[in-house]
């Protein structure tokens, strides 16, 4: 048989199908991952919907299903090209793409010639074998399609204009459907509302794909050289990563759209890999500006472009940009290195972080500061916590993956690790990737050898700071990088330049701090102080003029010292610095902001020192033998300085109030170290001075809107509250409360809103790749410009703790509602202050009794079943539960605990506890292993507890809160779910007070939930599993309990997702317990029937229960399931209109039911009910049933 | 590796009763039978038989854990009966029914065999 090659063979080869018998080596598959890989930060539904302009509305549906025609029409056509670029196809056709790129006709001919040559060299048997194999693999449709495409290509080659595929044939798979499909053609396709609703439903998976599309859009975004977005071009970006010839690439610049304005990110990255140095520098520079624009756009919540997506793309799962920057840092061209340093700085968002950490330093107690490494939350699961959510945080990258050992001894034993591992790490966490790729030694080299100018060094240093702030492991890497710290100290501290790397590192751990002290960094840094103290004493006038210039450096030095003191180092230096300090400690009325700043810093140093004071009892120091802290003899004069501030302060400028706040904090700490009997004179003086503080000072700040002013005010409030409570403990009272309470009330609403958003948002970050708390200052979609580490939240936190502290002092009924207090509490992130808020506000003795009263009143309903006193002990259970569940770290280290236990002395009481936590060895707090911030439904956690005591107390608390209207901010889905967990676990629900409390709560929620409940998006995507477990427990252990039945009914509402509804029904039907559900009147009627069910599988279940007798007893008892089945089946079978597609199903159901009616008396009655369901359509119904059943009725 | 031995699924350990009854203190006329070394096979059939009894208000069973080879059957009856009575009745009825089934099967087989030869 003579073989004739098909005309399409060339194209087949081009498409990446290896022709049969082709022995030429395959090109390696592209290793870069397609954009959304699992387990990355860009994953997950915590991203809000971005809609700056109407045409940018993010679609949640699948991009090209025919049913979304209407939606597609509303979307600008240009987006289609991206939508259709299916990554899987790209990856599969990887090898083909390599060749397809340059698929100019000449090459196609070449391929063709090659193919012909190969064919001629094959035997006819081989050829026919190959032919058959090909045909088998392709199938007739594909062949036809390829042939058609071959024809098209043929036409194109002859110069015919072809509107369908403007690009090369290899691209047509991606573009032909998209660009060619005219708008109106799609619009004609009917859209079924039902389907569309389903596609919009925000379940995690769909949300992720919407987010993916947003990030994909960034690929085609073009940026100008200063990093601004020019346009989103619709050019289909080719996959450029494998352009084989660098030289050709550089001079031809054929990738993308060379003539278009601006560059895409990808093009910029390619540009920075050019052989021409100037190209590289420009490319890196461009990347840097894009980073900084994205970070600031994200932080300011700018809406002009989708900055959130830009930022995610930059740090995205393609390690490309990380690799590019890392390579650029090794460049021989200094300009590139300089640009790269700046780009790095922007990528790690150093400046934003610096600002934030600066603000943090200024608020008491110097924090909370958090490590900035990206984290994600442990997914809540059904067995462990019953989908409670708010799991423990974990790092994206394990500390072992940072490869600490190999940063030290370069390539000794890294034989089993490859560059690909580096890239993998970089995909998960950019900063970790950099460290792993050895960026630290390189930075050291640049610092040591290149001697670049100050600006570059500053950029590099702030990069170092960013790395040190990343995570404990990264800080260790920075510390242990050979000679790095030494050279930093040598080069920058000695010539007296500003640097705060040591500062950050010493926050990290005590041992580092000791190390610094040994190195002499402290001495060097504080030599400034020596010098100043000398100059100030000798030439007070001249020095004062220079002071403002150097104040920034001095502040840093003071901070470093403060941290050293925190770790118990350098306390003795106080005597040396005293003259300098006293100069600005006493200059209350100087009016110079620089001095105020210094004074503020100095007082916070004093505050830390004061924490080391021994406790003063009855006029004498209670000295421990090993005491190494400050002594009262020095402290008392300092207090006098502070008092003079309180009296002299006048103007109310920001800096002054800030300093004043610091003074107050200092005094408060001093007061906390005094027992009521100790130092009465001093305390009296403090009290008098405090009363004279002009609260009007603050009034000017109340209108101000800058972040700094807000923080100042919040800090002042907090300080005053602390001092007032300190004084009260010493038996004094203050007159300031009213004014402060005014401020508190004014601010609380703002805080409350922030608080609930905050908690809700961070609850859902369960996929690896939740928001990075540090990079980009914590991403946030719901609060513009407010993520984890944003100034907005910082201010809110300071306010929250201040207000709560202040409210402790209130006598009588509280001026702020419990609901507000709950929201304020959710803002706190420090375990110690949370504990305090819990025990003194939410669950204070008084409050608990009130709550109980409300709850018991509701349960009793006038019958006097229970008495409040019998539940009093619940408070202890709850406190223990909350502390253990939410506030404790995951694995408290054994030796840490022991240490704490040893230090607890008899004399110390609760107020020291707070200080002790503040005094623990680590200043930066890790997200890892904690559950904070609290999710908005944290109050529900006792209901998930296994102990029935805790559960009961939790129920009473919830009931009390509901009665008082304080729980209305918690989503109803969560509350219903929490009740369900009580039923699903064991048989606690049968116990007397528990069951009554559950019943009362159900009554409330029947009222509150007037519609379908979306458990899948509200609680967990796999909710059907849980619902099934609940139904099983109902069947196995409920004894037909009325309350349990009512709870199950929550899942049978109309509009509940079919999977949940179906799972519950199936379970109940199999166990024959449908009849045990209560009548519909008992379960909050009005939510079960509208709209009528249209889901065939569900109706099928109804009908099969009907005909197998599963509903017989339910019919006799008028139970909910019979009413449900009757209603939905009647509406579907008898009232479905003329939809032809459903007719078959309707007839089938009608036939089954009428046949089954001969089974027994009940089923006959049931059929009669069905027939009479629509009394006005009786005849019609009869006719339909007769027709369907073949005359059997 | 540390899977329990096979025989543990059906050999009742010494000193343990095959069936233990515990009255439920929270609910009237209710109780739980713990049947050792049985699973869904017995649990389901007993439950279904109990459901046929008009005096039984509730009957359900569960396997508390896949590796604990026991089932717990919970029964609640009207005041005319008691869980133990209902349980015994259900078992004897089942016994009769199965006996009948067996006999019918055997006679049918015998009939067929004579027809065949």
């Amino acid at each position: 048989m003579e073989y004739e090659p098909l005309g399409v063979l060339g194209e087949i080869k081009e498409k990446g199908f290896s022709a049969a018998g082709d022995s030429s080596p395959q090109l390696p598959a592209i290793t870069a991952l397609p954009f959304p890989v699992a387990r990355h930060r860009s994953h997950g539904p915590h991203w809000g919907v971005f809609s700056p302009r109407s045409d940018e509305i993010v679609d949640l549906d699948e991009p090209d299903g025919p049913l979304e025609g209407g939606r597609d029409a509303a979307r600008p056509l240009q987006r289609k090209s991206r939508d259709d670029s299916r990554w899987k196809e790209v990856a599969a056709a990887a090898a083909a793409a390599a060749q397809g790129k340059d698929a100019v006709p000449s090459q196609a001919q070449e391929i063709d010639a090659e193919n012909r040559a190969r064919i001629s060299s094959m035997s006819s048997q081989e050829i026919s074998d190959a032919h058959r194999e090909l045909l088998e693999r392709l199938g007739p449709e594909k062949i036809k399609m390829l042939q058609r495409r071959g024809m098209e290509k043929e036409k194109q080659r002859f110069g015919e204009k072809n509107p369908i595929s403007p690009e090369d044939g290899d691209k047509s798979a991606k573009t032909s459907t998209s660009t060619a499909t005219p708008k109106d053609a799609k619009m004609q396709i009917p859209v079924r509302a039902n389907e569309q609703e389903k596609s919009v439903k925000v379940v995690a998976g769909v949300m992720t794909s919407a987010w993916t599309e947003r990030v994909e859009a960034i690929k085609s975004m073009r940026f100008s050289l200063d990093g601004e977005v020019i346009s989103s071009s619709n050019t289909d970006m080719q996959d450029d990563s494998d352009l084989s010839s660098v030289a050709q690439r550089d001079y031809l610049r054929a990738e993308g759209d060379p003539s278009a304005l601006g560059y895409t990110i990808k093009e910029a990255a390619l540009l920075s890999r050019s052989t021409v140095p100037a190209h590289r520098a420009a490319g890196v520079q461009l990347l840097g500006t894009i980073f900084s624009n994205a970070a600031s756009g994200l932080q300011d919540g700018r809406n002009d472009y989708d900055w959130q997506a830009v930022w995610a793309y930059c740090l995205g799962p393609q390690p490309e940009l990380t690799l590019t920057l890392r390579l650029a840092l090794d460049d021989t061209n200094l300009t590139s290195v300089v640009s790269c340093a700046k780009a790095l700085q922007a990528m790690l968002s150093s400046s934003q972080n610096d600002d934030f950490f600066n603000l943090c330093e200024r608020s008491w107690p110097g924090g909370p500061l958090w490590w900035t490494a990206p984290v994600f939350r442990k997914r809540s699961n059904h067995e462990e916590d019953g989908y409670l959510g708010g799991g423990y945080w974990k790092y994206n990258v394990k500390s072992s993956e940072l490869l600490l050992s190999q940063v030290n001894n370069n390539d000794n034993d890294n034989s089993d690790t490859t560059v690909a591992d580096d890239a993998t790490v970089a995909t998960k966490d950019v900063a970790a990737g950099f460290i792993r790729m050895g960026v630290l030694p390189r930075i050291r080299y640049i610092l040591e050898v290149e001697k670049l100018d100050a600006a570059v060094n500053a950029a590099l240093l702030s990069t170092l700071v960013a790395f040190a702030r990343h995570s404990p492991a990264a800080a260790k890497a920075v510390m242990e990088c050979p000679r790095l710290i030494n050279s930093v100290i040598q080069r920058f501290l000695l010539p007296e330049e500003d640097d705060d790397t040591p500062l950050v590192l010493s926050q990290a751990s005590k041992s580092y701090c000791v190390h610094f002290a040994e190195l002499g960094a402290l001495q060097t840094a504080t030599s400034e102080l020596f010098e100043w103290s000398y100059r100030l004493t000798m030439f007070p006038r001249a020095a004062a003029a220079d002071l403002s210039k150097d104040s920034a450096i001095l502040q840093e030095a003071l901070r470093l010292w403060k941290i050293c003191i925190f770790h118990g180092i350098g306390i003795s230096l106080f005597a040396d610095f005293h003259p300098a300090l006293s100069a600005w400690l006493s200059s209350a009325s100087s009016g110079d902001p620089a001095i105020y700043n210094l004074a503020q810093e100095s007082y916070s140093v004093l505050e830390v020192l004061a924490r080391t004071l021994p406790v003063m009892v009855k006029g004498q120091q209670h000295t421990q033998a090993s005491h190494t802290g400050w002594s009262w003899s020095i402290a008392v004069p300092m207090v006098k300085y502070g008092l003079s501030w309180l009296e002299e302060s006048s103007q109310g400028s920001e800096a002054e109030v800030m300093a004043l706040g610091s003074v107050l904090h200092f005094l408060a700490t001093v007061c906390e170290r005094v027992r009521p009997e100790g130092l009465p004179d001093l305390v009296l003086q403090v009290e008098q001075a405090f009363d004279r503080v002009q609260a009007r000072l603050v009034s000017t700040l109340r209108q101000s809107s800058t972040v700094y002013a807000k923080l100042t005010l919040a800090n002042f409030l907090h300080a005053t509250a602390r001092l007032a409570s300190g004084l009260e403990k010493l038996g004094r009272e203050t007159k300031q409360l009213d004014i402060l309470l005014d401020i508190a009330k004014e601010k609380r609403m703002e805080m409350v809103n922030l608080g609930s958003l905050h908690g809700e948002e961070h609850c859902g970050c369960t996929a690896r790749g939740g928001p990075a708390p540090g990079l980009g200052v914590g991403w946030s979609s719901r609060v513009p410009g407010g993520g984890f580490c944003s100034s907005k939240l910082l201010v809110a936190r300071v306010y929250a703790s201040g207000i709560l502290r202040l409210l402790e002092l209130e006598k009588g009924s509280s001026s702020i509602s419990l609901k507000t207090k709950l929201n304020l509490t959710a803002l706190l992130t420090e375990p110690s202050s949370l504990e305090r808020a819990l025990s003194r506000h939410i669950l204070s003795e008084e409050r608990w009794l009130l709550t109980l009263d409300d709850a018991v009143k509701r349960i009793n309903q006038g019958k006097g079943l229970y008495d409040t006193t019998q539940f009093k002990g619940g408070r202890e259970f709850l406190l223990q539960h909350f502390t253990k569940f939410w506030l404790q770290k995951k694995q408290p280290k054994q030796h840490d605990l022991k240490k704490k236990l040893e230090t607890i002395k008899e004399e110390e009481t609760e107020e020291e506890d707070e200080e002790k936590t503040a005094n623990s060895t680590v200043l930066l707090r890790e997200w890892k292993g904690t559950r904070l911030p609290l999710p908005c439904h944290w109050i529900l956690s006792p209901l998930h507890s296994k102990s029935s005591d805790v559960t009961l107390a939790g129920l009473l608390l919830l009931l009390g809160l509901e009665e008082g209207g304080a729980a209305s901010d918690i989503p109803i889905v969560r509350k219903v779910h929490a009740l369900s967990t009580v039923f699903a676990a064991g048989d606690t629900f049968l116990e007397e007070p528990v069951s009554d409390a559950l019943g009362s709560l159900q009554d409330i929620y029947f009222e509150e939930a007037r519609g379908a409940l979306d458990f899948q998006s509200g609680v967990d995507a796999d909710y059907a599993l849980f619902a099934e477990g609940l139904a099983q427990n109902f069947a196995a252990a409920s004894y037909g309990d009325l309350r349990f039945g009512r709870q199950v009914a929550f899942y049978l509402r109309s509009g509940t997702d079919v999977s949940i509804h179906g799972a519950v029904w199936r379970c109940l039907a199999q166990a024959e317990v449908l009849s045990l559900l209560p009548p519909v009147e008992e379960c909050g009627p009005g939510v079960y029937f509208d709209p009528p069910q249209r889901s065939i599988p569900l109706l099928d279940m109804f009908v099969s229960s009907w005909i197998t007798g599963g509903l017989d007893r339910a019919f006799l008892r008028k139970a909910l399931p019979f009413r449900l089945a009757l209603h939905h089946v009647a509406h579907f079978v008898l009232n479905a209109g003329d939809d032809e597609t459903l007719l078959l199903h309707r007839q089938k159901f009608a036939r089954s039911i009428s046949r089954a009616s001969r089974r027994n008396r009940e089923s006959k009655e049931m059929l009669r009910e069905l027939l009479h369901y629509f009394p006005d359509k009786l005849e019609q119904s009869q006719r339909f049933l007769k027709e369907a059943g073949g005359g059997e009725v | 590796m540390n899977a329990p031995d096979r025989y543990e699924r059906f050999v009742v350990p010494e000193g343990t009763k095959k069936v233990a009854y515990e009255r439920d203190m929270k609910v009237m006329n209710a109780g739980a039978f713990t049947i050792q070394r049985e699973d869904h096979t017995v649990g389901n059939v007993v439950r279904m038989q109990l459901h046929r009894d008009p005096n039984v208000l509730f009957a359900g069973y569960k396997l508390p854990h896949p590796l604990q080879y026991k089932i717990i059957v919970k029964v609640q009856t009207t005041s005319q009966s008691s869980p133990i009575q209902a349980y015994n009745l259900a078992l004897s009825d089942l016994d009769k029914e199965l006996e009948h089934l067996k006999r019918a099967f055997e006679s049918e087989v015998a009939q067929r065999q004579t027809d065949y030869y």
Side-chain angles (χ1 to χ4, degrees), chain A residues 945-957:
Chain A
S945 161
K946 291 197 170 60
S947 141
S948 59
D949 290 325
V950 177
T951 307
L952 174 61
L955 283 169
L956 291 172
L957 174 67

Side-chain angles (χ1 to χ4, degrees), chain A residues 496 526-537 550 580:
Chain A
E496 291 165 18
T526 46
S527 64
E528 287 279 302
L529 284 174
F530 281 121
E531 197 178 317
W532 275 105
S533 48
Y534 172 71
R535 279 170 72 184
L536 275 172
T537 37
D550 284 351

Side-chain angles (χ1 to χ4, degrees), chain A residues 69 170 179 312 364 501 578 669 743 843 991 1042 1107:
Chain A
D170 65 304
T179 38
W364 186 86
T501 324
H578 179 241
T669 310
I743 305 178
L843 284 174
E991 286 163 22
L1042 171 68
I1107 61 178

Side-chain angles (χ1 to χ4, degrees), chain A residues 720-784:
Chain A
T720 330
R722 276 189 69 213
L723 184 54
S725 77
L727 283 175
E728 196 190 54
K729 216 161 280 149
L730 299 176
R732 317 276 166 170
E733 282 185 17
T734 54
K735 299 166 192 163
Q736 307 280 350
L737 276 183
D738 297 338
I739 304 163
L740 292 172
L741 277 175
D742 270 358
I743 305 178
K745 276 184 215 161
E746 182 182 299
K747 293 289 172 194
R748 71 166 190 237
M749 281 331 289
E750 198 181 323
M751 301 308 129
V752 165
N753 292 338
L754 266 179
S756 54
L757 283 173
H758 178 59
E760 198 183 337
E761 173 165 21
H762 297 315
C763 188
C765 317
T766 49
R768 187 176 291 251
L775 300 180
V777 200
W779 312 350
S780 175
S781 51
R782 306 205 188 178
V783 191

Side-chain angles (χ1 to χ4, degrees), chain A residues 986-988 990-991 1032-1040 1069-1073 1076 1113 1117, chain B residues 24 26-27 30-32 44 47-48 51-53 56-62 74-76:
Chain A
D987 52 1
T988 329
L990 286 172
E991 286 163 22
Q1032 263 164 9
N1033 202 36
F1034 179 70
S1038 68
Y1039 292 120
Q1070 274 171 5
E1072 295 198 351
V1073 289
L1076 293 181
R1113 269 206 257 180
R1117 295 189 191 179
Chain B
D24 202 308
K26 298 164 200 158
V27 189
N44 191 41
R47 176 184 66 183
M48 289 311 180
H51 275 155
R52 293 189 192 165
D53 187 341
V56 170
L57 295 176
F58 176 84
Y61 79 97
K62 69 175 165 189
K74 296 200 173 188
V75 185
Q76 190 192 7

Side-chain angles (χ1 to χ4, degrees), chain A residues 880-1085:
Chain A
Q880 263 176 22
H881 165 81
F882 282 131
T883 321
K884 188 156 172 261
F885 190 84
W886 291 111
L887 307 182
Q888 267 174 19
K889 282 201 89 175
K890 196 179 175 190
Q891 291 150 332
K893 283 177 199 155
Q894 283 303 315
H895 57 92
D896 276 359
L897 271 180
K898 264 186 205 159
K899 231 186 262 168
K900 256 186 193 171
L901 286 177
E902 277 165 13
T903 50
I904 294 174
K905 292 287 182 283
E906 295 274 309
E907 295 81 15
E908 290 175 341
T909 46
E910 48 184 1
E911 69 261 35
E912 266 100 32
D913 288 352
E914 191 174 355
E915 268 59 64
K916 209 179 297 136
T917 0
N919 270 335
S920 60
T921 50
V922 174
L923 280 173
L924 280 165
R925 189 156 292 130
E926 280 188 89
W927 290 102
K928 187 187 142 199
T930 67
R931 283 176 188 270
L932 302 171
L934 295 175
C936 50
H937 57 274
W938 64 274
I939 205 96
L940 299 176
S941 69
L943 273 60
H944 295 246
S945 161
K946 291 197 170 60
S947 141
S948 59
D949 290 325
V950 177
T951 307
L952 174 61
L955 283 169
L956 291 172
L957 174 67
L958 183 58
L959 189 53
L961 293 180
E962 289 288 356
E963 283 292 291
S968 54
D969 278 354
I970 305 172
I972 178 75
V973 185
R974 279 278 174 200
K975 293 193 272 197
V976 172
H977 169 67
L979 290 195
S980 293
T981 48
V982 180
F983 285 105
D987 52 1
T988 329
F989 62 88
L990 286 172
E991 286 163 22
E992 273 287 274
V994 173
S995 96
D996 287 327
L998 283 169
S1000 312
L1001 281 168
Q1002 280 175 342
D1003 287 339
I1004 296 174
Y1005 297 144
F1006 281 139
E1007 283 300 309
E1008 197 174 328
R1010 309 300 314 177
L1013 299 168
D1014 190 357
F1015 291 99
Q1016 278 171 321
S1017 61
V1019 180
D1020 196 282
D1022 299 330
Y1023 197 78
L1025 261 180
F1026 175 84
E1028 203 178 323
L1030 182 76
Q1032 263 164 9
N1033 202 36
F1034 179 70
S1038 68
Y1039 292 120
D1041 184 68
L1042 171 68
R1043 270 95 187 212
F1044 204 151
R1046 280 157 42 119
Q1047 190 67 27
V1048 173
F1050 270 113
Y1051 300 94
L1052 299 178
R1053 296 178 164 220
S1054 126
T1056 311
D1057 191 84
V1058 175
S1059 64
I1060 296 176
H1061 201 306
V1064 171
W1065 185 279
R1066 198 183 312 113
C1067 234
L1068 297 177
Q1070 274 171 5
E1072 295 198 351
V1073 289
L1074 284 169
S1075 58
L1076 293 181
L1077 289 185
V1080 66
E1081 290 74 22
E1082 300 265 0
C1083 326

